[in-house]
C-alpha cells in the first residue's frame, strides 16, 4: 500500500508538471492547427482594408443565455429590453441588478434548488464568467433586480450541467479494482521503454493526459 | 487477426475562404499551401503504395467547406496560377543559388515538388483532387467520413437543435454528392462533444464518431478497456477515443518527432529573408511579405543560427522516426494485450495539414510507417473503425462526457474574452432563421433564393475557425470580419424579408461570393425536424 501511495503521488506530480508545461507551451494540437492559418509573420499584413460591417450591439430583448465552458466555468450573456430597463431605473427604490446562480441536482425534473449565490452586476454589463462551485450539478441563472428590498426576476436562462468526472475520480475508483500501472496504460499513460536507437529520440516516460485540467476534489 | 490494431485518422479541414471580388486574396493561400504541401503529396504516397501492392488502410475526413473549395472552379484556377508563380520563383532561385551546394539541391527539390503538383493537379485530377480520394476510397484504401457542414464547435450550440441538425444534414448531403456514398463515421469538429450529440448523429445513420481521450475515460461508466476499445452510447452509436501516446509522439513540436533538429524549419522562408525587390512578384500584393513555401534551413536547435536543410539527412531521420513509432506501438500493444481480453485498437487522429505543411517531412514519415508496419502484421495491423466494429460489434455501453481536444480539454479556446462576443449574434441569427422557416415554409423564386442564402450565411458564421483564430491571434482582423459579414448578411436578408423587399442585385452578389452548398434547402432549419435532447 505504501508503494502504491508513493507511486500515486509521483504520477499526479508528473501529470501536474506536464499540465503546467503544456499550458506554458500551449496545446500541441492547437499549435499545429494554428499553423494552417499562418501565411504572414508581418504584423500589418492585411488582406483587406475595408471597414468591418457594423453589427447591432444588442437586440433589445430581455433574455439571458448560459454556456458551459469547462467543469469550473460558465459564461452568461444577457440583455434587457430598453423599455423594461427604463421603467426599473425610474422606479424609486431601485437598488441593484444582479445574477442569481442556482444549483440543482442533476437531471432532477422537479428542479429542486440545492443552493444559490448572487453576483452583483452593473446596468452596463451584458456578460459574465461564472465560477461553478461543484462538479456534476445542473445550473441556471436568473437576472434579478432589487427594488425596495424586493427581488424580481427579469428573465431565466437555460440549464447547463457541469461534468461530474475527473481524472482523480477515475484514478481513485480504479484503486479498488486494478493496479495503477494498468489503469495508466489503459488511459494512454504508456510507459515507454528505451528507444530502439542509441541516439536520443525525444520521448516522455509518461505521456500526457490530453489537455484536461486536473480537478482537485474539495 | 492481429494482436493489436492501429487506426490512423486524418482530418482534412480548412474554413471556406473565397473572394472573387479580389484578384488575389491573402487567406486563400491557406488552401493553396495545403494542396501543395499536404493533399497532393499524400495522394502521391497513397497511390504509390497502392500501385506497389503495399497493403494499407486509413480513415480520412474531408470537411464540407474544404470539399466545396476543392470543387470550386475559381479556386482551382487560382491554385494553378499560384503554383505557376512558384515554379517561376523556383527557376529564379535556381539561377540565384546555382553552384551553391548548400542550397541548390533544396531549390531543385522545390522545383520538382511544384512541377509535379501542377502536373498531378491538371492532368491526373483535372483540377479536382477529390477525385483522387474518391478513387482510393473505391479501392478500399481510405474510408472517407465527414465533419460538420461548416465545422462548427457543437457544444456551444447544444441548446439550438436546429443549428445542430442543419450542420449534420448539410454535411451528409454534401458528402453524398461529392463522394456518392453515405458516410459511416463523423469527425466531431475539435472533438467538441456534448452529451446528446449522439442522438443527432444517430438520426443521420452515423455508426461511429471520435472524441478526445477524456470523453471516454470520464464516461458515465468506467471504460474497462480505457480508450483501446470503442464504447457504445445508449442509442447504439460507437465512440472511439483518441490515444494519447501515439498522438503526442507526432503532434508535439517540443517532445515529438516534428521538433527534430534535422527537419525543415517552418519559419525561415525566403519571403522574409530575401530583398523585397527580388521577392516582390511572389508575395501578396507585392507589399506584404508572406511565406512562399521556399524554406532552406533546418530547425537546428534553439538558436537563430540555422544550418542549411539537408534533404537526405531529414529523410533518414523520418525513416528512423517511423521505425521508432512502430516499435513503440508494438510495445504498447504488448502491454495492452496483457490487460485486455481482445486486441486493442489504437486510434491516432491528426489534422491532415500537420503532414507536409507544418511538419514538412510528415508525409515521408507516414509513407515509411505505412510501408513498414506490414512487417509486423501479426502483432500490429492497420484498421478502420468500421472494420474494428465488424470484428468486435459488442462493446461496453457508456455515455462520453462533455469534452474537446482544445487546450484545457473543454471549450475555453472557443469561448473566452477574445471571442465570446460572437455568440449573442450567432445565436440570435439561428433563432431568426428558425423563425423565417416558420413564416415562409414553402417559398419559390426570389424569396427562396434569399432564404437559402440566409441559411448559408448562418452556417458560415458558425465556423469554429473564426473564434479559434481570435484566440490564437494569427489573422484576427480577418476572422472578426468574417463573423461580422455573415451576421450582417443574414440580418439584412432577415430584415428585407420582414419588409418584403429584397435587393436582388445585392443578393446576387453575395450568392456568387458565398456560394457554398449550392443546393441547400433553407428548410434544413425547420424546427420540427430538429431533435430536441
Amino acid at each position: 500500500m505504501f508503494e502504491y501511495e508513493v507511486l500515486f503521488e509521483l504520477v499526479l506530480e508528473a501529470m501536474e508538471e506536464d499540465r503546467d508545461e503544456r499550458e506554458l507551451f500551449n496545446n500541441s494540437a492547437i499549435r499545429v492547427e494554428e499553423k494552417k492559418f499562418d501565411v504572414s509573420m508581418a504584423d500589418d499584413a492585411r488582406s483587406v482594408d475595408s471597414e468591418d460591417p457594423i453589427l447591432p450591439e444588442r437586440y433589445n430583448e430581455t433574455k439571458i443565455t448560459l454556456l458551459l465552458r469547462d467543469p469550473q466555468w460558465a459564461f452568461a450573456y444577457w440583455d434587457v429590453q430598453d423599455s423594461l430597463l427604463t421603467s426599473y431605473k425610474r422606479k424609486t427604490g431601485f437598488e441593484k441588478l444582479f445574477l442569481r446562480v442556482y444549483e440543482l441536482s442533476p437531471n432532477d425534473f422537479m428542479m429542486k434548488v440545492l443552493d444559490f449565490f448572487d453576483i452583483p452586476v452593473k446596468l452596463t454589463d451584458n456578460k459574465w464568467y461564472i465560477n461553478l462551485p461543484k462538479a456534476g450539478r445542473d445550473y441556471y441563472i436568473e437576472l434579478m433586480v432589487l427594488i425596495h428590498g424586493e427581488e424580481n426576476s427579469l428573465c431565466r436562462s437555460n440549464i447547463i450541467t457541469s461534468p461530474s468526472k475527473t481524472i482523480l475520480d477515475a484514478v481513485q475508483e480504479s484503486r479498488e479494482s486494478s493496479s495503477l500501472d494498468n489503469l495508466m496504460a489503459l488511459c494512454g499513460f504508456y510507459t515507454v521503454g528505451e528507444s530502439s536507437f542509441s541516439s536520443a529520440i525525444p520521448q516522455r516516460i509518461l505521456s500526457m493526459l490530453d489537455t484536461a485540467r486536473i480537478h482537485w476534489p474539495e | 487477426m492481429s494482436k493489436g490494431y492501429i487506426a490512423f485518422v486524418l482530418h482534412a479541414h480548412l474554413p471556406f475562404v473565397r473572394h472573387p471580388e479580389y484578384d488575389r486574396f491573402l487567406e486563400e493561400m491557406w488552401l493553396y499551401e495545403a494542396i501543395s504541401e499536404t493533399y497532393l503529396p499524400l495522394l502521391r504516397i497513397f497511390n504509390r503504395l497502392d500501385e506497389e501492392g503495399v497493403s494499407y488502410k486509413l480513415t480520412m475526413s474531408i470537411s464540407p467547406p474544404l470539399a466545396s473549395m476543392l470543387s470550386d472552379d475559381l479556386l482551382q484556377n487560382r491554385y494553378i496560377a499560384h503554383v505557376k508563380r512558384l515554379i517561376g520563383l523556383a527557376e529564379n532561385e535556381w539561377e540565384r543559388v546555382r553552384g551553391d551546394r548548400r542550397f541548390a539541391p533544396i531549390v531543385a527539390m522545390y522545383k520538382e515538388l511544384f512541377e509535379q503538383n501542377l502536373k498531378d493537379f491538371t492532368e491526373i485530377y483535372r483540377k479536382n483532387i477529390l477525385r483522387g480520394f474518391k478513387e482510393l476510397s473505391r479501392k478500399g484504401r481510405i474510408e472517407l467520413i465527414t465533419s460538420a457542414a461548416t465545422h462548427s464547435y457543437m457544444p456551444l450550440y447544444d441548446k439550438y437543435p436546429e443549428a445542430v441538425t442543419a450542420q449534420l444534414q448539410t454535411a451528409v448531403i454534401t458528402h453524398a454528392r461529392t463522394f456518392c456514398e453515405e458516410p459511416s463515421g463523423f469527425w466531431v469538429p475539435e472533438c467538441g462533444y456534448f452529451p446528446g450529440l449522439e442522438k443527432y448523429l444517430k438520426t443521420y445513420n452515423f455508426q461511429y464518431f471520435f472524441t478526445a481521450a477524456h470523453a471516454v475515460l470520464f464516461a458515465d461508466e468506467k471504460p474497462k478497456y480505457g480508450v483501446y476499445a470503442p464504447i457504445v452510447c445508449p442509442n447504439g452509436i460507437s465512440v472511439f477515443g483518441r490515444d494519447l501516446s501515439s498522438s503526442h509522439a507526432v503532434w508535439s513540436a517540443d517532445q515529438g518527432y516534428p521538433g527534430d533538429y534535422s527537419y525543415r524549419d517552418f519559419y525561415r522562408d525566403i519571403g522574409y529573408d530575401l530583398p523585397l525587390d527580388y521577392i516582390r512578384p511572389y508575395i501578396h500584393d507585392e507589399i506584404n511579405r508572406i511565406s512562399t513555401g521556399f524554406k532552406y534551413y533546418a530547425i537546428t536547435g534553439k538558436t537563430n543560427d540555422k544550418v542549411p536543410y539537408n534533404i537526405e539527412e531529414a529523410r533518414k531521420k523520418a525513416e528512423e522516426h517511423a521505425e521508432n513509432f512502430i516499435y513503440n506501438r508494438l510495445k504498447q500493444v504488448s502491454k495492452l494485450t496483457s490487460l485486455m481480453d481482445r486486441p486493442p485498437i489504437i486510434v491516432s487522429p491528426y489534422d491532415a495539414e500537420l503532414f507536409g505543411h507544418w511538419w514538412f517531412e510528415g508525409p515521408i514519415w507516414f509513407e515509411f510507417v505505412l510501408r513498414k508496419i506490414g512487417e509486423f502484421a501479426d502483432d500490429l495491423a492497420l484498421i478502420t473503425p468500421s472494420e474494428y466494429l465488424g470484428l468486435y460489434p459488442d462493446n461496453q455501453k457508456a455515455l462520453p462526457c462533455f469534452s474537446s481536444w482544445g487546450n484545457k480539454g473543454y471549450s475555453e479556446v472557443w469561448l473566452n474574452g477574445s471571442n465570446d462576443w460572437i455568440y449573442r449574434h450567432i445565436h440570435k441569427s439561428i433563432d431568426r432563421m428558425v423563425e423565417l422557416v416558420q413564416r415562409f415554409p414553402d417559398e419559390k423564386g426570389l424569396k427562396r433564393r434569399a432564404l437559402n442564402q440566409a441559411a448559408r450565411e448562418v452556417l458560415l458564421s458558425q465556423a469554429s475557425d473564426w473564434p479559434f483564430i481570435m484566440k490564437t491571434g494569427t489573422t484576427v482582423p480577418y476572422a472578426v470580419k468574417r463573423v461580422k459579414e455573415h451576421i450582417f448578411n443574414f440580418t439584412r436578408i432577415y430584415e428585407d424579408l420582414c419588409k418584403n423587399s429584397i435587393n436582388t442585385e445585392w443578393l446576387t452578389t453575395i450568392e456568387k461570393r458565398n456560394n457554398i452548398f449550392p443546393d441547400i434547402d433553407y428548410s434544413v432549419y425547420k424546427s420540427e425536424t430538429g431533435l430536441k435532447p
Side-chain angles (χ1 to χ4, degrees), chain A residues 54-63 77-82 126, chain B residues 421-432 483-484 486-488 490-491 494-495:
Chain A
I54 295 172
L55 298 186
E57 279 192 28
R58 38 195 288 272
Y59 294 94
N60 197 23
E61 54 183 358
T62 304
K63 184 179 175 181
Y77 70 83
W78 65 87
D79 192 10
V80 181
Q81 205 167 9
D82 286 339
N126 62 5
Chain B
W421 62 272
I422 70 176
Y423 295 102
R424 76 173 64 231
H425 298 291
I426 297 175
H427 291 158
K428 185 65 180 174
S429 298
I430 294 167
D431 283 338
R432 284 177 162 177
V483 173
K484 285 186 174 180
H486 294 305
I487 299 294
F488 177 86
F490 169 80
T491 304
Y494 172 81
E495 290 172 348

Side-chain angles (χ1 to χ4, degrees), chain B residues 276-393:
Chain B
L276 192 58
D277 283 345
Y278 173 82
I279 206 69
R280 194 185 301 276
Y282 310 104
I283 57 175
H284 183 66
D285 286 346
E286 301 192 3
I287 301 170
N288 293 307
R289 285 182 177 271
I290 59 169
S291 296
T292 60
F294 285 73
K295 304 172 198 281
Y296 296 160
Y297 292 91
I299 293 173
T300 310
K302 291 185 187 344
T303 171
N304 288 329
D305 194 13
K306 305 289 181 186
V307 301
Y309 181 62
N310 185 310
I311 298 168
E312 202 39 50
E313 195 177 300
R315 185 179 176 83
K316 281 185 191 157
K317 188 60 69 171
E319 184 173 12
E320 191 179 305
H321 285 160
E323 289 170 352
N324 178 266
F325 182 86
I326 295 171
Y327 169 80
N328 282 308
R329 301 292 75 71
L330 287 167
K331 291 200 70 166
Q332 190 176 4
V333 166
S334 176
K335 172 71 177 180
L336 290 168
T337 49
S338 68
L339 304 173
M340 295 171 66
D341 56 10
R342 62 152 85 168
I345 177 171
I346 299 170
V347 178
S348 302
Y350 308 102
D351 274 2
E353 296 78 21
L354 161 71
F355 297 100
H357 178 59
W358 166 234
W359 180 18
F360 184 65
E361 298 78 8
I364 302 171
W365 172 88
F366 199 39
E367 182 173 4
F368 278 124
V369 170
L370 295 178
R371 279 185 186 280
K372 290 173 184 281
I373 206 165
E375 297 169 30
F376 306 96
D378 291 339
D379 298 307
L380 177 66
L382 296 167
I383 202 167
T384 64
S386 293
E387 285 180 327
Y388 190 85
L389 290 173
L391 292 174
Y392 302 101

Side-chain angles (χ1 to χ4, degrees), chain B residues 405-416:
Chain B
W405 75 355
N407 197 30
K408 299 183 186 173
Y410 300 97
S411 297
E412 187 173 330
V413 172
W414 299 276
L415 180 60
N416 59 79

Side-chain angles (χ1 to χ4, degrees), chain A residues 63-175:
Chain A
K63 184 179 175 181
I64 185 165
T65 300
L66 190 57
L67 298 175
L68 179 66
R69 193 184 82 171
D70 56 51
Q72 291 114 333
W73 291 93
F75 171 74
Y77 70 83
W78 65 87
D79 192 10
V80 181
Q81 205 167 9
D82 286 339
S83 54
L84 187 61
L85 196 59
T86 304
S87 74
Y88 276 119
K89 279 158 77 173
R90 280 189 185 148
K91 281 185 176 159
T92 54
F94 173 78
E95 294 177 45
K96 65 176 181 178
L97 192 68
F98 61 100
L99 301 175
R100 176 158 289 168
V101 184
Y102 294 91
E103 180 189 316
L104 312 173
S105 276
N107 302 316
D108 178 3
F109 295 112
M110 301 300 291
M111 291 184 59
K112 182 184 163 197
V113 174
L114 298 177
D115 200 358
F116 68 87
F117 60 94
D118 294 342
I119 303 172
V121 294
K122 299 196 290 290
L123 289 169
T124 48
D125 289 329
N126 62 5
K127 62 179 183 177
W128 206 265
Y129 283 90
I130 295 155
N131 187 237
L132 303 175
K134 295 195 186 85
R137 291 279 195 265
D138 284 357
Y139 292 92
Y140 72 91
I141 346 180
E142 285 186 316
L143 183 63
M144 310 278 292
V145 288
L146 186 67
I147 299 176
H148 279 307
E150 188 179 317
E151 296 174 345
N152 286 290
S153 172
L154 297 180
C155 52
R156 175 186 286 195
S157 77
N158 52 291
I159 296 173
I160 62 169
T161 303
S162 66
S164 55
K165 286 281 184 67
T166 68
I167 182 62
L168 209 52
D169 294 334
V171 167
Q172 286 174 337
E173 281 170 18
S174 290
R175 287 168 70 178

